[in-house]
Amino acid sequence: MTVSRRKFFQQAGLLGATAAVAGPAIAMTSKPGDDPLADRELANFAHGVASGDPLANQVILWTRITPEVDAPVSVNWRICEDVDMQYEVNSGTVVTDASRDYTVKVDVDGLMPDTWYYYQFSVGNVQSPIGRTHTAAETGMDRLRLAVVSCSSFAHGYFNVYRILSERNDLHAILHLGDYIYEYAEGKYDDKDLRAQRALLPKHEIVSLGDYRLRHNLYKRDPDLQAAHQQYPFIVTWDDHEFANDTWKDGAENHNEGEGDWLARKRAAKQAYFEWMPIRQQPHDLEAVYRKFRFGDLVDLMMLDTRVEGRDEQVGFFTQRERNDPNRTLLGFEQEAWLQNQLASSTARWKLCGQQVQMQEIGPVALPDKLGGGVSFFLDTWDGYTATRKRLFDHIERNNIDNFVVLTGDIHSTWVADLAKDPFDRSLYDGNTGEGSLGVEFVTPSVTSPALPPVVGDVAAAALKGSSPHLKYCDMVHRGFFVLDVTAERAQADWYHVQSVDKRTTAHFHATSYKTDNGANRVSEASGPVTGVHNEVPLAPQPEPAAAEA
């Protein structure tokens, strides 16, 4: 039996373009009247603005309008050099309608690299909030700062992490590693004490295109999420809950025959995702989310899909010898080859991978080879697909690839680890010196999704750390985020944990900092967080935040 994140935490005793970008067409639409959240105005921008997928001369701009009648709407957009929107760089008009749920996505080109811009949409005299975005560097970038987040269950609390990030002015982009939305019905997976304040729409589990659209609609109404999108471009990938719990390419744990055809549900989830997220569709596959971003000569960022693209079904606990089958794959063999080619051809100092599930080996129980070599309670992660991990690590070792840094979400907790071919074999890896490590993994905690209670979480983390020489830090209690600060000399992750998610507050604290030095391929503890960094350009003007709750 596979232990999912949810079950693990329950069973804690176990260790300028001018065309709008649309998603793939599906013969199903929703009308303004179908949206119980809609305000009845000629048009409004109640879902805010967003940007994403920054390239050196391009960036995606996004919004959604709520029209009064079900008819095509012309939406104007402008992008400027200044917050007062006086020095226009590019502009245009796009048409949206119910076939794309009145979302608007523009792939603006003709921009300068490593530059801040401001943008705005309008319909008639109605204007959207002003958004701020940033392009990637083409050459010469000396520092990159990314906030890394994942797992934002609306029903489990307030998005304080997003509000905190929106008030920082020291980042280039926000990296969201999946579980941006959750599919569950009200009462199935939520905080019952917040059910009135964080009510879900629709209230049933989302299955159809209309359902997925409405759940995205709900999330994008959140003022704290809007604030983060307004200030920074997002680089996103999906995890399982954008579809259904424990998704794989041909099904999901949280999908049954009574919920219809899985492929139809998957297509609906993908369409809603591409409509509602500021993500660029890829020429090689309009439904793929694995792609690369280049930040000068400093960083190549490869975004992966460990869920939907090619994942074989998870093995069960009592059949887990199959996890070593070389014919099974986590990424799909096409994506595996793409990743290996990107790593081998990269000339950037740092090779980052943004992905969903933990790559590190997680505390297995050693057994003789004739009995399978060990067992894992984390078969949903790379531990359940050891042949995929072995092929990747062999490729890194064979090609002498340095500065490999994996950024991971999914597990609702903080982990810092070396990546070794067999961290439990002292002849291959030295836990004291890090000798034998091929790279490092930094895992971000959740925005709101539940972790473990304090005492149980502390005991579980201590047990895992004590039995795992490659695991350098583990916190299984707190929610939050980390900021990755990359220079030519090192890549450092600074973790920040929030005080609460059951009320609106920006109270948070620095938890820990770890780094990997250039060429070291192992982690070491940093003396403290990176400070003194500040963007020169002002934040976009924000609406007044909601009052903090007592």
Side-chain angles (χ1 to χ4, degrees):
M1 172 180 175
T2 300
V3 177
S4 67
R5 293 178 312 288
R6 183 181 174 200
K7 291 175 183 175
F8 171 71
F9 286 121
Q10 288 174 335
Q11 301 168 4
L14 292 175
L15 293 179
T18 57
V21 181
I26 295 179
M28 181 177 180
T29 61
S30 61
K31 299 178 181 179
D34 297 331
D35 179 1
L37 299 170
D39 297 325
R40 313 281 11 120
E41 298 178 9
L42 174 63
N44 66 56
F45 295 92
H47 302 88
V49 297
S51 67
D53 278 12
L55 304 178
N57 64 345
Q58 291 176 249
V59 69
I60 294 287
L61 304 182
W62 179 95
T63 193
R64 198 258 188 179
I65 65 101
T66 305
E68 186 178 42
V69 297
D70 182 15
V73 179
S74 293
V75 182
N76 301 312
W77 60 269
R78 302 173 64 232
I79 188 165
C80 299
E81 296 177 351
D82 62 310
V83 69
D84 295 321
M85 303 298 290
Q86 297 297 309
Y87 299 100
E88 185 177 290
V89 174
N90 206 341
S91 63
T93 301
V94 298
V95 177
T96 186
D97 57 27
S99 69
R100 63 191 64 180
D101 204 17
Y102 290 96
T103 59
V104 176
K105 204 157 39 164
V106 185
D107 196 352
V108 179
D109 59 11
L111 305 178
M112 295 295 292
D114 195 15
T115 302
W116 290 97
Y117 291 97
Y118 299 86
Y119 61 94
Q120 190 173 37
F121 298 89
S122 64
V123 175
N125 294 324
V126 179
Q127 293 184 322
S128 75
I130 295 172
R132 187 181 75 155
T133 192
H134 187 263
T135 53
E138 191 167 18
T139 59
M141 195 172 202
D142 58 6
R143 166 173 263 128
L144 176 67
R145 285 176 64 81
L146 302 172
V148 183
V149 298
S150 76
C151 303
S152 41
S153 173
F154 184 91
H156 279 98
Y158 292 99
F159 291 157
N160 295 328
V161 164
Y162 294 143
R163 177 62 64 178
I164 292 164
L165 295 179
S166 77
E167 295 177 354
R168 297 182 69 117
N169 200 3
D170 62 344
L171 306 171
H172 292 103
I174 295 175
L175 199 65
H176 200 298
L177 299 177
D179 292 344
Y180 182 98
I181 66 168
Y182 279 70
E183 85 279 14
Y184 292 110
E186 188 169 273
K188 180 72 172 178
Y189 186 58
D190 63 4
D191 184 335
K192 62 181 177 58
D193 295 329
L194 293 173
R195 203 166 286 166
Q197 302 95 315
R198 305 293 281 178
L200 291 177
L201 283 171
K203 293 190 179 299
H204 57 265
E205 183 177 325
I206 55 176
V207 176
S208 69
L209 176 59
D211 292 343
Y212 281 100
R213 283 172 165 175
L214 187 53
R215 191 61 60 86
H216 277 282
N217 186 320
L218 171 70
Y219 274 62
K220 283 291 201 303
R221 293 267 176 155
D222 184 272
D224 302 314
L225 177 55
Q226 285 189 16
H229 274 298
Q230 184 187 6
Q231 300 300 340
Y232 292 107
F234 272 51
I235 300 173
V236 301
T237 188
W238 53 47
D239 199 359
D240 53 342
H241 291 292
E242 286 87 351
F243 299 84
N245 184 55
D246 284 356
T247 295
W248 57 290
K249 64 182 179 181
D250 295 324
E253 177 273 334
N254 191 29
H255 180 80
N256 56 60
E257 292 182 2
E259 294 170 328
D261 178 66
W262 165 252
L263 293 180
R265 182 177 184 177
K266 183 168 76 167
R267 286 196 301 271
K270 282 186 175 183
Q271 178 170 343
Y273 188 87
F274 279 108
E275 288 171 346
W276 281 86
M277 299 297 287
I279 182 174
R280 179 180 292 106
Q281 291 180 286
Q282 301 303 301
H284 69 273
D285 185 345
L286 293 178
E287 294 188 353
V289 295
Y290 67 90
R291 61 211 191 279
K292 184 181 85 169
F293 296 90
R294 183 170 180 81
F295 294 91
D297 301 320
L298 184 65
V299 167
D300 276 347
L301 169 63
M302 279 71 72
M303 297 296 290
L304 305 184
D305 179 358
T306 65
R307 281 292 180 190
V308 183
E309 178 68 24
R311 174 192 277 251
D312 289 315
E313 186 174 12
Q314 297 92 316
V315 299
F317 182 80
F318 295 106
T319 60
Q320 65 174 277
R321 187 180 299 183
E322 298 172 13
R323 69 194 179 107
N324 302 316
D325 183 348
N327 295 313
R328 296 182 71 253
T329 173
L330 178 65
L331 301 174
F333 290 107
E334 183 175 336
Q335 187 181 184
E336 276 194 47
W338 174 87
L339 175 59
Q340 291 187 15
N341 288 337
Q342 295 300 324
L343 290 171
S345 62
S346 174
T347 58
R349 175 67 60 94
W350 296 93
K351 294 84 177 171
L352 309 184
C353 277
Q355 54 107 49
Q356 296 84 349
V357 295
Q358 286 163 289
M359 187 177 290
Q360 66 194 264
E361 194 164 347
I362 308 173
V365 178
L367 292 175
D369 287 342
K370 65 181 180 179
L371 297 179
V375 298
S376 176
F377 294 106
F378 295 85
L379 298 171
D380 189 44
T381 73
W382 289 68
D383 269 1
Y385 303 82
T386 58
T388 300
R389 183 168 58 199
K390 182 179 185 302
R391 288 190 291 266
L392 176 60
F393 284 4
D394 285 346
H395 176 79
I396 291 171
E397 185 177 54
R398 186 168 57 249
N399 290 276
N400 298 312
I401 295 170
D402 281 331
N403 299 333
F404 178 62
V405 180
V406 177
L407 313 174
T408 300
D410 182 70
I411 196 66
H412 308 178
S413 44
T414 297
W415 305 59
V416 182
D418 286 335
L419 295 174
K421 295 180 74 170
D422 186 347
F424 300 97
D425 186 336
R426 293 184 180 180
S427 67
L428 298 177
Y429 172 76
D430 187 328
N432 294 318
T433 66
E435 187 69 28
S437 179
L438 298 173
V440 306
E441 183 171 26
F442 299 142
V443 181
T444 188
S446 69
V447 172
T448 55
S449 303
L452 294 179
V455 175
V456 173
D458 293 339
V459 170
L464 282 166
K465 188 172 180 293
S467 62
S468 306
H470 59 303
L471 180 59
K472 306 305 179 183
Y473 183 89
C474 185
D475 180 292
M476 308 187 78
V477 173
H478 295 93
R479 297 152 164 123
F481 62 96
F482 71 79
V483 174
L484 184 71
D485 185 276
V486 186
T487 66
E489 292 77 28
R490 52 99 189 106
Q492 177 167 323
D494 299 325
W495 276 264
Y496 296 88
H497 293 157
V498 294
Q499 296 282 11
S500 173
V501 298
D502 59 8
K503 62 180 179 180
R504 279 200 166 92
T505 175
T506 56
H508 64 291
F509 60 94
H510 171 251
T512 193
S513 294
Y514 280 82
K515 64 185 177 71
T516 177
D517 293 321
N518 176 42
N521 302 320
R522 67 201 67 167
V523 295
S524 57
E525 190 168 3
S527 58
V530 177
T531 59
V533 180
H534 186 75
N535 295 325
E536 295 180 356
V537 303
L539 295 168
Q542 295 188 47
E544 287 296 319
E549 298 179 7

